[in-house]
Amino acid sequence: MPVYDYGAKDQAGQNLKGTIEASDRKTALNKLRAEKLVIISFTEKASVLTTITAARAKVKPEDVVIFSRQLATMLDAGIPILNSLEILADQADSKKFREVLAAVKRDIEVGSSLSGAFGKHPRVFSPLYVSMVRAGETSGMLDDILDRLAMYLEKTAALQRKVKSALVYPAAVTSMALLITVVLLVKVIPVFKDVFSGFGAELPTPTLILINISDVVRKYYIFVAAALGCAAYALHRYILTDKGRFQFDRILLRLPVFGVLFTKVAVGKFSRTLSSLVKSGVPILSSLEVVAKTCGNKVFEEAVNKVRSAIREGENIAVPLEKCRIFPPMVVKMIAVGEQTGQLEKMLSKIADFYEEQVDVAVSGLTSLIEPLIIAFLGIVIGGVVICMFLPIFKLSSIVNM
C-alpha cells in the first residue's frame, strides 16, 4: 500500500509533518481533511523496493527507445497500459529493465500516473522523458508523444556517438604516447645512463634532466603514482561540484580544436530538446527547466536558467538568449522569428537539424586535422626523449672528429 509524506497546519495554526498510508492518493487526502488539517505539501513516498531498483538500474538508451516505440504502438492499438507494460516487461532483454517496468506496473496498479511511476526511476527515465509523458497524459496524445520521444532519443544517441568517435582516436594515441614515454624512462634510459657514466665527460643539460626524471620515476614510482592518483581524484571531486563543473565546461568550450564541436553539440541538443517539449505541449517555463537539467553543459545550463528567469518576468525568449552571448546570432534570430510567427517548435527543429549536420561536418574535419597534430605530438614527446639521450653521443663524436 502506498505511503505519503505530508505537511499541514492544524486548527491552531501549528505546522505538522508526517506520513500516512492509504490505498490511493485521494483516500489519503480525504483522511487528512477529515482530521480538519490544511494540506500544505503532499507527495508519494517511494517504496524500498522501488528505491533499490531505481538506484541499481542501468539500462541502455537503446532499450528505452525500443520500449517507447513499442508502448506507443500498443497504446495506439487500444491495448490497456497495464497489459502493455506487462507484455513489454516479459519481453525485455535486460533483467534490470524488466525489474523497472515491473515496479512501474505495480505503482500504476495502486493509483500512480504513468509519469509519476516513471519519475521514480530517474536513472532510466530522464526528467525530459517524464515531462513529455506527463504532457501526453494531459493532452490525451500519449502514443504520439512516446513516438516523438523515441525519435528524440535516437537522434540524441547518434549525436553522442559522433562526438565520441571524434575523441576516441586522439585519446588512444595520447595514452599510447604516455605509455611509451614511461617505458623509455623506466627501462631504456637507465641503460644509456650506465653507458654515459663511462664517458668521463660532463653530460648536456637536457640529458641530465631526463636522467634525473628517470631516477625519480624508478625510485619513487609508488609516490609518483600516489601523487598522480590523488591529483586525479581531487580534480574529479572538484569537477563534481557546481563551480568545478562550470569551470571545466567553460574550458571545454574554449578549447582551440574541440571547443567549436562542443558548442555545436550543446546548441543542437538545446534546440532538439526544447523543440520536442514545446511540440508536446509542455509549458515554456517547464520546458526550459528540463532543458537546463539535460543540456549536459553547466555553462549552457546557467544561461538557460537566466533565460527562464527573464521569461518569468515577461520577456521574450530571444532577448535573454542574445544577452547570454553563447548562442550564435543565427540561432537567436531564428528563435525570434519562430516566436513572432507562432512556429517556435518548427524553428527549433530546423536549428537542431542544421547543427547536427554541422557536427557531422566538424567531426569529419577534425579527423583530418587531428592526424597531423597527433604526429607532431608524438614527434615532440618521443622524439624529444630520443634526442636528449643521443646528445652525449653527438657531442662525443664531435670531440673525436676534432
Side-chain angles (χ1 to χ4, degrees):
M1 188 175 291
V3 178
Y4 301 89
D5 290 323
Y6 69 88
K9 284 183 179 290
D10 60 15
Q11 289 181 314
Q14 293 183 341
N15 292 324
L16 300 175
K17 288 186 177 181
T19 59
I20 184 171
E21 188 175 356
S23 58
D24 55 40
R25 181 184 181 91
K26 185 177 180 180
T27 303
L29 288 171
N30 288 337
K31 285 183 179 180
L32 293 173
R33 286 168 183 153
E35 297 177 10
K36 297 182 180 180
L37 298 177
V38 178
I39 309 301
I40 298 174
S41 62
F42 189 84
T43 56
E44 184 176 353
K45 191 174 184 179
S47 66
V48 175
L49 176 61
T50 300
T51 303
I52 292 173
T53 302
R56 293 179 178 176
K58 292 182 180 178
V59 179
K60 295 179 181 178
E62 294 82 2
D63 293 336
V64 180
V65 171
I66 295 171
F67 163 77
S68 303
R69 288 206 183 279
Q70 291 176 334
L71 183 58
T73 303
M74 297 175 81
L75 293 177
D76 187 48
I79 301 175
I81 192 165
L82 287 175
N83 292 345
S84 300
L85 288 171
E86 185 177 0
I87 294 169
L88 294 176
D90 289 339
Q91 71 178 29
D93 294 330
S94 169
K95 180 181 177 182
K96 291 180 179 179
F97 197 30
R98 286 198 298 271
E99 294 174 355
V100 169
L101 294 181
V104 169
K105 180 175 177 290
R106 286 195 298 272
D107 289 333
I108 293 175
E109 286 174 337
V110 296
S112 177
S113 64
L114 181 62
S115 58
F118 283 158
K120 295 179 182 179
H121 308 274
R123 295 191 179 186
V124 180
F125 303 105
S126 66
L128 176 140
Y129 197 102
V130 175
S131 296
M132 289 184 67
V133 169
R134 186 180 296 115
E137 290 175 315
T138 304
S139 63
M141 300 171 58
L142 184 56
D143 54 341
D144 184 40
I145 286 179
L146 283 168
D147 201 42
R148 290 181 202 166
L149 264 171
M151 187 179 300
Y152 166 82
L153 293 172
E154 285 173 345
K155 291 186 176 182
T156 303
L159 190 63
Q160 291 174 344
R161 284 194 297 269
K162 292 170 188 174
V163 177
K164 288 180 180 179
S165 66
L167 299 177
V168 166
Y169 179 57
V173 175
T174 302
S175 301
M176 186 61 67
L178 292 175
L179 179 62
I180 293 172
T181 303
V182 170
V183 171
L184 289 174
L185 289 173
V186 175
K187 297 293 184 181
V188 178
I189 291 176
V191 177
F192 277 84
K193 179 184 176 182
D194 295 337
V195 174
F196 295 154
S197 62
F199 283 4
E202 185 178 353
L203 298 176
T205 302
T207 306
L208 287 173
I209 293 174
L210 193 61
I211 289 174
N212 290 331
I213 293 174
S214 174
D215 290 339
V216 170
V217 171
R218 287 188 302 111
K219 292 179 181 178
Y220 307 104
Y221 67 92
I222 295 179
F223 299 102
V224 172
L228 292 175
C230 290
Y233 178 76
L235 179 62
H236 174 69
R237 295 295 300 176
Y238 178 68
I239 291 175
L240 289 179
T241 64
D242 290 339
K243 182 179 178 181
R245 186 70 196 184
F246 181 85
Q247 295 292 339
F248 179 74
D249 287 341
R250 186 164 63 177
I251 291 172
L252 288 181
L253 295 177
R254 293 180 178 179
L255 288 176
V257 178
F258 294 98
V260 176
L261 175 62
F262 291 137
T263 300
K264 290 178 178 178
V265 170
V267 173
K269 192 170 184 181
F270 162 83
S271 305
R272 179 69 65 195
T273 306
L274 187 56
S275 172
S276 299
L277 288 166
V278 172
K279 190 174 182 180
S280 300
V282 181
I284 186 66
L285 289 176
S286 300
S287 298
L288 288 171
E289 182 180 7
V290 174
V291 170
K293 293 177 181 177
T294 58
C295 63
N297 187 290
K298 272 289 181 182
V299 177
F300 276 84
E301 180 181 341
E302 185 174 294
V304 172
N305 283 328
K306 289 180 180 178
V307 172
R308 184 168 174 265
S309 300
I311 293 174
R312 188 186 291 112
E313 294 173 3
E315 291 191 42
N316 294 328
I317 187 173
V319 175
L321 273 179
E322 187 175 11
K323 291 179 181 177
C324 292
R325 299 183 181 277
I326 61 171
F327 291 92
M330 184 199 79
V331 174
V332 177
K333 296 296 182 185
M334 289 185 69
I335 289 176
V337 172
E339 278 188 302
Q340 293 169 5
T341 59
Q343 295 184 328
L344 180 59
E345 69 276 4
K346 185 176 180 181
M347 284 296 181
L348 287 167
S349 182
K350 288 184 178 294
I351 293 169
D353 291 339
F354 172 78
Y355 274 94
E356 286 167 5
E357 185 178 346
Q358 287 293 302
V359 169
D360 281 337
V361 175
V363 168
S364 301
L366 281 174
T367 303
S368 58
L369 178 63
I370 285 172
E371 289 182 1
L373 291 176
I374 288 178
I375 292 173
F377 172 78
L378 291 174
I380 292 172
V381 175
I382 309 300
V385 172
V386 172
I387 290 173
C388 287
M389 297 316 301
F390 277 90
L391 276 177
I393 298 176
F394 296 150
K395 184 177 180 181
L396 180 64
S397 299
S398 62
I399 292 173
V400 171
N401 292 332
M402 291 176 62

